[in-house]
């Protein structure tokens, strides 16, 4: 009974009379209440007087105070649910929050924590096991101060499960310049050297940022030892506002200077990467299969909804390529359809339209512009209502298709009654591509299809960060271009290559100056005047074989923008041939 | 796979023609996987019927609502053009002649609905005022040249409509002409003189004029470049005496935008009159009133569903079109998911259909919660009869459906009455709009609020929430969850959940974890993601790789003895590369040149 009354009161509270001013305040509060905005709002009020029929618009809103609470209750329920199940308790805060300052060592620390967590079930046992609790001091005694800090930070005992010594050692390596490390690595000379070198490099940054680091527990050993107590205090007082400004104030970001080169692991090429990954046995295959089966049951519904004028967009983590491919093979065998790989780097709206006009509609003519082509297609489809076309677009949000114009055109296609579009999106900001007008063109129905499948095909084209672009392409184009040149021109180019390779160990090498180049070419009887050389260089430049750069002394320097390995290969090949 | 290639991105698949002709009828997709005995074919037909009725009803409403606006617009156009027509030498008229008559049409922020309005406006104008109605959008007119080109070509098209398509060859030659206001004036002279002796084939009302005006609609006034607008207005005011232009501005925000876009010198060349379309909220109210608060359509929405639809409308887009889309989806989902929706049609038809219900469907009725509650209240012999005898059941269902119908009749009547009664009360305790009241009534007994208990005894019988009525499931769609997922998806939250809590999707005990933690056996991308959360703006790849390796090796400890450690390291490296590339694809990180071997984070917070 009580609860019922309460709920009634809550209900009552939702509707209230609010004057114009309050509404304004309310709106301004929500938007951050800047002064400029206030002025604008007043302007809006003025316009009301100008507008002829004042019953429209603003006034109506007065009483309908749209409360966040109400919105969350109705539209945000799903979100709340999944977030509760997820790691975050306070919903939106976790998904959308401010940038905050993170200590460079936090990642390694988290990694070691994660590594030490064998299984959750085990950790529960540990928690309740008094014997192991007693072990704690013994465990941490010999180890680092940072472990103690960790202890305070999270009471979870699971990370105390005694890790084998080998593992522990490896865990600590990444924390190369942490407080704990310096204590620990006294016995570990190798790492210590490396670490101390980095200290020197970082010291300036460290001192600069020391003041503004809220959670500066273990920035560097010397600083830490000087003012440990102060920091602890600051730790407690730091609040959200401070953190915000700290994170945004300095443009310098403190990260370690280690590079992949030092880590003697060569960049992998696409092929090796694939081979290596094929050896990984996929985990959770049963669960993944179950997920996929769940989605496959929707195929009929998708077909129905596509036919009734909706279009379908799939989102969620994991590649949706295989799922769409299965949809295609099971449902679309007897239908006219086009598969579009949005992730293909050479894709464009033009190529999509071309394949529709040329291959679907068998039209051989050309069009003056993309818009003309679109109009032609639209007319064709409007004229012939028996024509039906399915468009399957993998990654509608890809780099090549996400532009406003492309989206507008695809949207217009999809709004046709006899073109059915089913597409997938992956980028987390993908929905920003569509304003209201485009959304109404697309007429989407959203389906979440989280698959956890690797984006193998989608990322294989990308200039991925750690993947070596195979050198074969530049090499073949080099030989191709050079074969079309005169023997003299080839000789000139070879001179430049040799000079560049001779200087490959010189870090300050900026190129061969034109004068020197002329001198050398002349001595080798390749040119007879600097004009001939210049003409030759223009040709090289047109083929993007060389780049010129003005040095500090105003002299022109010539450089081949190809990596030295490829150049060596090229020279070897040349020598074999001639 | 046939759909991957390094040389192209589009793959066309054509079935052989014989096969294509036997295309699958749409209702087959409706049936599939469902029991044939559940009348799916009939259900689909009913769906289509009701949807068609609802659709034409909304279109009729739209027309009706726009009627006043269009009438006053037409009146304005006729009045302002009569000056040109008279060609009077009166000085005042001469001055006025220099001003371009302009109608500023304030349509509100629901831009998605504007297209429909403009389309019917064009139609109305072409039927009543002039054949020359052209509409332009800002995106087609980045500069003066394109503006005139579009204007000219569209005008010529209008002309073609009037004089059939015999002059196609003329048009082709004209394409090469230089686009200018002069050429437009010439064209206009030609056209008006030519049509005169010939007499237009169709006896339009517009033919009452020798020289009909040219109406130019700028659909989205706000988006036009100031310069283009200004230039066009200045130029065309110069040609006003030979080219009778009338402008219509489509405005989404407020009329003040005209003065912001046009300086006084330019706006003084216009003779502006303001027109206001009906507010979209009023439009929504009318739609609700005519589609849902009526017994005309047997299909109803539950409180939650209605709330979702109105909230999307009020908080997101103010778009009637989207609201209708939501309604259509609800209708479709209802007929798909509820086998008894076959009875969701008009009463006589439903009664007829009851007679043909299969045994299976009878079982479905018995399983309805509302029907079970009803049965429990009956005497025991009747209970037995209802649960065992099909004939008794069918008769009872017929009478129950009748009751439901009566209930709705009373319901909406009393609802309107109550709304009249309370909508003018101070503070609007039961809401200002009838939809708010409707939602309240759908949800609970409205008289439970003390204030109304004493005053309105009559309500008790009539405004009972629909859940109390047996067989309400037939007509009420209540799967609010589905609707929300389809229309108001939160892709970013889905990513967040998938990365932070894989157990939500993969129900494997090994993945179960406490809040904020992630087990080290989780998918690679989850681990890489979790680690990157601990970094600030830049991430050192080496550190990241090592942290990743630490976690992954720990997870593999038990089963990876077979491979050599060097190979294992390589594999881990490869897995790391994959995870990082995937995070890049998803937009969490991007490569940066600020520091070697670093990537930049693109998000803050947990996602």
């Amino acid at each position: 009974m009580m609860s019922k009354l309460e709920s009634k009161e809550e209900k009552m509270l939702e509707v209230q009379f609010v004057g114009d001013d309050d509404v304004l305040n309310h709106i301004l509060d929500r938007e951050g209440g800047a002064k400029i905005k206030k002025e604008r709002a007043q302007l809006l009020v003025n316009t009301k007087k100008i507008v002829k029929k004042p019953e429209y618009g603003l006034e109506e809103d007065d009483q309908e105070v749209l409360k966040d609470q109400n919105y969350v209750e109705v539209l945000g329920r799903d979100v709340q649910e999944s977030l509760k199940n997820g790691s975050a308790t306070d919903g939106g805060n976790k998904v959308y929050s401010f940038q905050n300052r993170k200590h460079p060592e936090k990642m390694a620390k988290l990694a070691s924590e994660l590594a030490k967590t064998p299984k959750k079930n085990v950790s529960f046992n540990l928690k309740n096991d008094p014997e192991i609790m007693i072990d704690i001091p013994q465990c941490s005694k010999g180890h680092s101060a940072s472990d103690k800090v960790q202890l305070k930070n999270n009471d979870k005992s699971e990370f105390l499960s005694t890790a084998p010594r080998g593992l522990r050692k490896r865990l600590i390596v990444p924390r190369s310049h942490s407080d704990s490390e310096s204590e620990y690595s006294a016995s570990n000379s190798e790492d210590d050297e490396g670490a101390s070198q980095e200290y020197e490099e970082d010291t300036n940054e460290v001192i600069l940022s020391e003041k503004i680091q809220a959670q500066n527990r273990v920035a560097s050993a010397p600083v830490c030892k000087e003012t440990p107590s102060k920091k602890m205090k600051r730790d407690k007082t730091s609040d959200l506002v401070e953190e915000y400004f700290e994170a945004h104030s300095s443009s310098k970001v403190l990260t370690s200077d280690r590079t992949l080169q030092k880590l003697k692991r060569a960049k992998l090429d696409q092929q090796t990467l694939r081979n290596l990954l094929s050896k990984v046995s996929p985990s959770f295959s049963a669960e993944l299969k179950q997920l996929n089966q769940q989605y496959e049951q929707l195929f009929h519904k998708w077909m129905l909804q596509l036919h009734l004028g909706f279009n379908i967009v799939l989102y969620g983590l994991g590649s949706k390529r295989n799922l769409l491919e299965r949809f295609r093979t099971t449902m679309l065998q007897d239908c006219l359809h086009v598969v579009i790989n949005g992730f293909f780097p050479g894709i464009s709206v033009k190529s999509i339209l071309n394949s529709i006009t040329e291959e679907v509609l068998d039209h051989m003519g050309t069009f003056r512009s993309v818009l003309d082509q679109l109009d032609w297609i639209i007319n064709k489809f409007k004229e012939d209502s028996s024509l039906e076309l399915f468009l399957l677009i993998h990654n509608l949000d890809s780099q090549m298709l996400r532009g406003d114009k492309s989206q507008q055109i695809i949207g217009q296609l999809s709004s046709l009654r006899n073109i059915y579009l089913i597409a997938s999106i992956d980028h987390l900001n993908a929905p920003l591509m569509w304003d209201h007008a485009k959304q109404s063109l697309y007429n989407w129905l959203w389906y979440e299809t989280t698959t956890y499948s690797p984006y193998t095909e989608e990322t294989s084209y990308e200039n991925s960060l750690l993947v070596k672009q195979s050198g074969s392409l530049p090499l073949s184009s080099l030989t191709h271009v050079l074969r079309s040149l005169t023997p003299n021109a080839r000789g000139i180019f070879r001179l430049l290559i040799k000079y560049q390779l001779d200087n490959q160990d010189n870090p300050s090498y900026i190129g061969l100056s034109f004068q020197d180049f002329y001198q050398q070419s002349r001595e080798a009887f390749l040119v007879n005047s600097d004009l001939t050389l210049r003409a030759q260089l223009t040709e090289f430049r047109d083929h993007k074989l060389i780049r010129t750069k003005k040095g500090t002394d105003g002299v022109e320097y010539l450089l081949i923008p190809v990596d030295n390995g490829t150049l060596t290969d090229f020279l070897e090949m040349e020598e074999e041939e001639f | 796979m046939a759909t991957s290639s390094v040389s192209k991105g589009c793959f066309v698949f054509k079935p052989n023609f014989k096969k294509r002709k036997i295309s699958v009828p749409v209702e087959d997709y409706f049936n599939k996987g469902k029991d044939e005995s559940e009348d799916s074919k009939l259900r689909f037909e009913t769906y289509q019927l009701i949807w068609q009725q609802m659709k034409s009803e909304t279109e009729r409403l739209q027309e009706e609502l726009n009627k006043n606006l269009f009438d006053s617009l037409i009146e304005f156009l006729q009045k302002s053009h009569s000056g040109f027509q008279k060609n009077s030498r009166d000085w005042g008229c001469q001055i006025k002649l220099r001003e371009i008559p302009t109608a500023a049409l304030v349509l509100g922020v629901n831009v998605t609905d504007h297209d429909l309005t403009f389309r019917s406006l064009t139609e109305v104008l072409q039927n009543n005022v002039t054949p020359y109605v052209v509409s332009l959008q800002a995106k087609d007119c980045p500069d003066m040249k394109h503006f005139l080109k579009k204007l000219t070509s569209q005008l010529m098209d209008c002309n073609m409509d009037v004089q059939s398509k015999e002059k196609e060859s003329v048009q082709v030659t004209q394409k090469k002409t230089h686009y200018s206001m002069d050429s437009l004036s010439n064209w206009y002279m030609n056209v008006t003189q030519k049509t005169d002796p010939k007499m237009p084939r169709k006896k339009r009302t517009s033919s009452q004029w020798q020289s009909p005006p040219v109406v130019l609609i700028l659909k989205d006034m706000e988006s036009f470049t100031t310069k283009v607008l200004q230039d066009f207005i200045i130029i065309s005011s110069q040609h006003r005496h030979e080219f009778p232009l009338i402008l219509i501005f489509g405005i989404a925000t407020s009329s003040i935008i005209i003065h912001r876009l046009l300086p006084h010198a330019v706006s003084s060349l216009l003779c502006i009159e303001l027109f206001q379309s009906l507010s979209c909220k009023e439009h929504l109210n009318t739609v609700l009133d005519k589609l849902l608060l009526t017994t005309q359509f047997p299909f109803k929405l539950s409180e939650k569903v209605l709330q979702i639809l109105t909230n999307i409308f009020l908080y997101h887009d103010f778009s009637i079109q989207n609201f209708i889309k939501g309604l259509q989806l609800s209708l479709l989902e209802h007929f798909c998911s509820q086998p008894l929706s076959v009875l969701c049609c008009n009463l006589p038809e439903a009664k007829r259909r009851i007679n043909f219900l299969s045994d299976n469907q009878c079982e479905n009725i018995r399983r309805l919660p509302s029907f079970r509650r009803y049965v429990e209240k009956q005497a025991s012999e009747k209970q037995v009869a209802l649960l065992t005898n099909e004939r008794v059941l069918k008769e009872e269902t017929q009478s129950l459906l009748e009751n439901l119908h009566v209930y709705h009749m009373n319901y909406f009547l009393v609802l309107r009455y109550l709304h009249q009664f309370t909508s003018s009360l101070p503070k609007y305790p039961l809401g200002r709009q009838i939809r708010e009241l409707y939602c309240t009534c759908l949800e609970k007994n409205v008289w439970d609020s003390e204030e109304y208990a004493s005053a309105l005894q009559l309500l008790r019988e009539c405004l009972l929430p629909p859940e109390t009525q047996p067989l309400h499931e037939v007509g009420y769609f209540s799967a609010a969850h589905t609707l929300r997922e389809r229309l108001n998806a939160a892709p970013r939250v889905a990513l967040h959940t998938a990365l932070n809590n894989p157990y939500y999707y993969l129900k494997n005990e090994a993945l179960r974890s406490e809040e904020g933690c992630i087990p080290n056996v989780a998918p690679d991308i989850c681990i890489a993601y979790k680690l990157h959360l601990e970094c600030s703006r830049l991430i050192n790849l080496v550190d990241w790789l090592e942290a990743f390796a630490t976690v992954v090796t720990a997870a593999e400890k038990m089963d990876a003895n077979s491979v050599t450690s060097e190979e294992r390291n390589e594999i881990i490296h490869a897995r790391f590369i994959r995870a990082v590339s995937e995070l890049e694809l998803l937009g969490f990180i991007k490569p940066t040149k600020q520091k070697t071997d670093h990537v930049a984070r693109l998000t803050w917070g947990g996602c």
Side-chain angles (χ1 to χ4, degrees), chain B residues 18-129:
Chain B
K18 274 180 194 167
K19 266 188 182 171
R20 213 208 300 179
K21 276 180 187 150
I22 336 158
S23 65
V24 189
V26 185
E27 58 256 40
D28 273 23
Y29 299 115
F30 193 87
N31 297 341
K32 281 279 163 62
K34 300 261 167 69
D35 233 324
E36 266 309 315
S37 59
E38 287 176 336
D39 307 307
S40 46
K41 191 157 181 278
L42 195 57
R43 261 153 59 201
F44 185 68
E45 283 164 12
T46 322
Y47 156 77
Q48 286 198 309
L49 185 74
I50 295 189
W51 171 234
Q52 279 313 319
Q53 286 172 350
M54 282 185 156
K55 206 171 140 196
S56 48
E57 179 74 11
T58 48
E59 276 158 13
R60 196 185 59 77
L61 282 177
Q62 175 111 23
E63 251 168 56
E64 207 177 280
L65 290 173
N66 282 332
K67 195 175 178 302
N68 279 338
L69 176 72
F70 289 174
D71 282 350
S72 47
L73 257 176
I74 289 172
E75 196 188 320
F76 165 76
L77 292 183
Q78 287 173 338
K79 193 182 70 202
S80 52
H81 189 61
S82 59
F84 181 86
Q85 203 59 39
K86 270 186 262 164
N87 229 347
S88 94
R89 303 234 161 79
D90 178 12
W91 213 77
C93 268
Q94 293 274 332
I95 289 289
K96 244 197 156 173
L97 217 76
R98 298 296 295 271
E99 293 182 349
I100 306 170
T102 305
L105 193 54
V106 182
L107 290 166
V109 291
N110 48 331
V111 272
T112 44
D113 296 337
H114 292 181
D115 251 359
L116 225 84
T117 315
F118 283 124
R119 221 177 298 152
S120 44
L121 176 65
T122 311
E123 206 174 291
V124 168
L125 291 183
Q126 280 182 335
N127 287 335
N128 296 303
V129 184

Side-chain angles (χ1 to χ4, degrees), chain B residues 62-293:
Chain B
Q62 175 111 23
E63 251 168 56
E64 207 177 280
L65 290 173
N66 282 332
K67 195 175 178 302
N68 279 338
L69 176 72
F70 289 174
D71 282 350
S72 47
L73 257 176
I74 289 172
E75 196 188 320
F76 165 76
L77 292 183
Q78 287 173 338
K79 193 182 70 202
S80 52
H81 189 61
S82 59
F84 181 86
Q85 203 59 39
K86 270 186 262 164
N87 229 347
S88 94
R89 303 234 161 79
D90 178 12
W91 213 77
C93 268
Q94 293 274 332
I95 289 289
K96 244 197 156 173
L97 217 76
R98 298 296 295 271
E99 293 182 349
I100 306 170
T102 305
L105 193 54
V106 182
L107 290 166
V109 291
N110 48 331
V111 272
T112 44
D113 296 337
H114 292 181
D115 251 359
L116 225 84
T117 315
F118 283 124
R119 221 177 298 152
S120 44
L121 176 65
T122 311
E123 206 174 291
V124 168
L125 291 183
Q126 280 182 335
N127 287 335
N128 296 303
V129 184
T130 165
Y132 308 118
V133 184
V134 174
S135 28
L136 291 183
Q137 268 177 301
K139 67 175 191 319
D140 301 327
C141 319
D143 51 41
M144 204 56 201
K145 192 183 138 207
H146 281 90
F147 192 105
L148 284 176
K149 189 180 162 190
K150 271 268 165 192
L151 176 61
T152 315
S153 65
Q154 282 202 41
L155 269 179
M156 309 257 171
D157 283 351
C158 295
N159 192 27
M160 295 246 298
D161 287 347
V162 177
Q163 317 187 327
S164 79
K165 296 206 173 179
E166 63 196 40
K167 299 241 163 110
E168 206 145 348
S169 55
V170 180
Q171 219 218 341
V172 176
T173 53
Q174 271 170 338
K175 260 184 188 162
K176 281 170 198 159
T177 52
H178 180 68
Y179 300 107
S180 71
M181 218 51 203
D182 282 327
S183 61
L184 269 180
S185 310
N186 286 337
W187 165 84
Y188 182 78
M189 292 283 258
N190 277 336
V191 165
T192 43
Q193 276 165 11
K194 257 187 217 162
T195 44
D196 258 346
K198 266 192 191 169
M199 283 305 285
R201 272 158 217 179
K202 285 182 200 166
K203 283 240 168 187
R204 287 169 191 268
T205 38
S206 59
S207 59
Q208 67 190 30
W209 282 328
Q210 278 189 339
S211 42
V214 175
V215 178
L216 171 61
I217 303 175
L218 302 182
K219 285 183 172 178
D220 42 353
M221 159 90 174
E222 283 97 337
S223 327
F224 276 88
T225 355
T226 335
K227 185 147 187 344
V228 172
L229 269 184
Q230 289 179 16
D231 289 354
F232 178 74
I233 291 170
I234 293 170
I235 296 170
S236 49
S237 89
Q238 301 287 325
H239 290 83
R240 172 88 183 113
H241 56 282
E242 46 191 17
F243 187 70
L245 182 76
I246 299 183
L247 289 171
I248 296 181
F249 292 159
I251 294 173
T253 51
S254 96
S255 56
I256 208 154
I257 196 75
I258 300 173
H259 299 288
R260 207 169 288 168
L261 282 175
L262 306 173
H264 182 71
V266 177
S267 62
S268 62
L269 296 173
L270 304 174
C271 172
I272 306 176
E273 196 160 325
L274 259 181
F275 295 88
Q276 189 97 48
S277 80
L278 198 68
S279 104
C280 49
K281 278 197 244 167
E282 225 137 288
H283 196 155
L284 175 75
N285 287 343
T286 327
V287 168
L288 277 177
D289 205 54
K290 291 287 189 294
L291 293 185
L292 291 176
L293 302 179

Side-chain angles (χ1 to χ4, degrees), chain B residues 189-446:
Chain B
M189 292 283 258
N190 277 336
V191 165
T192 43
Q193 276 165 11
K194 257 187 217 162
T195 44
D196 258 346
K198 266 192 191 169
M199 283 305 285
R201 272 158 217 179
K202 285 182 200 166
K203 283 240 168 187
R204 287 169 191 268
T205 38
S206 59
S207 59
Q208 67 190 30
W209 282 328
Q210 278 189 339
S211 42
V214 175
V215 178
L216 171 61
I217 303 175
L218 302 182
K219 285 183 172 178
D220 42 353
M221 159 90 174
E222 283 97 337
S223 327
F224 276 88
T225 355
T226 335
K227 185 147 187 344
V228 172
L229 269 184
Q230 289 179 16
D231 289 354
F232 178 74
I233 291 170
I234 293 170
I235 296 170
S236 49
S237 89
Q238 301 287 325
H239 290 83
R240 172 88 183 113
H241 56 282
E242 46 191 17
F243 187 70
L245 182 76
I246 299 183
L247 289 171
I248 296 181
F249 292 159
I251 294 173
T253 51
S254 96
S255 56
I256 208 154
I257 196 75
I258 300 173
H259 299 288
R260 207 169 288 168
L261 282 175
L262 306 173
H264 182 71
V266 177
S267 62
S268 62
L269 296 173
L270 304 174
C271 172
I272 306 176
E273 196 160 325
L274 259 181
F275 295 88
Q276 189 97 48
S277 80
L278 198 68
S279 104
C280 49
K281 278 197 244 167
E282 225 137 288
H283 196 155
L284 175 75
N285 287 343
T286 327
V287 168
L288 277 177
D289 205 54
K290 291 287 189 294
L291 293 185
L292 291 176
L293 302 179
T294 166
T295 46
Q296 190 194 344
F297 297 106
F299 175 70
K300 297 278 175 291
L301 297 179
S302 81
E303 183 255 348
K304 294 250 164 55
V305 175
L306 186 59
Q307 284 252 321
I308 285 175
L309 289 182
T310 46
N311 270 19
I312 290 178
F313 179 86
L314 291 172
Y315 288 94
H316 285 257
D317 50 17
F318 288 115
S319 164
I320 300 291
Q321 213 185 322
N322 270 351
F323 184 86
I324 303 285
K325 170 190 172 189
L327 197 63
Q328 185 193 1
L329 182 67
S330 314
L331 191 71
L332 180 63
E333 285 287 329
H334 178 66
F335 278 91
C336 261
S337 56
Q338 174 59 267
L340 288 171
S341 58
V342 71
L343 301 178
C344 184
C345 52
N346 61 45
L347 189 61
E349 175 65 18
K351 279 175 150 180
R352 200 184 62 79
R353 286 183 187 178
I354 288 173
N355 293 324
F356 301 106
L357 284 185
S358 63
D359 292 356
N360 216 337
Q361 285 281 48
C362 290
E363 244 353 271
N364 282 333
I365 295 182
R366 290 187 182 118
R367 262 186 241 124
L368 286 183
S370 67
F371 187 76
R372 275 176 21 204
R373 280 197 298 273
Y374 172 78
V375 171
E376 277 160 22
K377 283 186 205 140
Q378 307 303 315
S380 57
E381 302 108 64
K382 197 172 182 195
Q383 281 188 5
V384 175
L386 280 175
L387 293 179
T388 53
N389 190 329
E390 310 282 283
R391 198 180 49 78
V392 177
L393 178 78
K394 284 181 180 175
E395 275 167 17
E396 191 68 20
T397 311
Q398 284 185 337
S399 79
L400 282 177
L401 272 186
E402 224 165 275
N403 290 348
L404 191 67
H405 186 73
V406 173
Y407 159 82
H408 275 134
M409 294 232 287
N410 290 333
Y411 190 97
F412 294 119
L413 198 72
V414 176
L415 189 76
R416 279 171 216 281
Y417 157 74
L418 178 64
H419 177 66
Q420 283 299 321
F421 210 74
T422 58
S423 63
S424 47
L425 287 178
K427 295 191 179 182
Y428 308 102
L430 280 179
R432 203 172 163 186
Q433 309 292 348
I434 192 162
R435 63 179 145 80
E436 298 167 63
L437 180 64
Y438 183 46
C439 272
T440 322
C441 295
L442 282 176
E443 192 190 4
K444 60 174 186 187
N445 297 334
V446 67

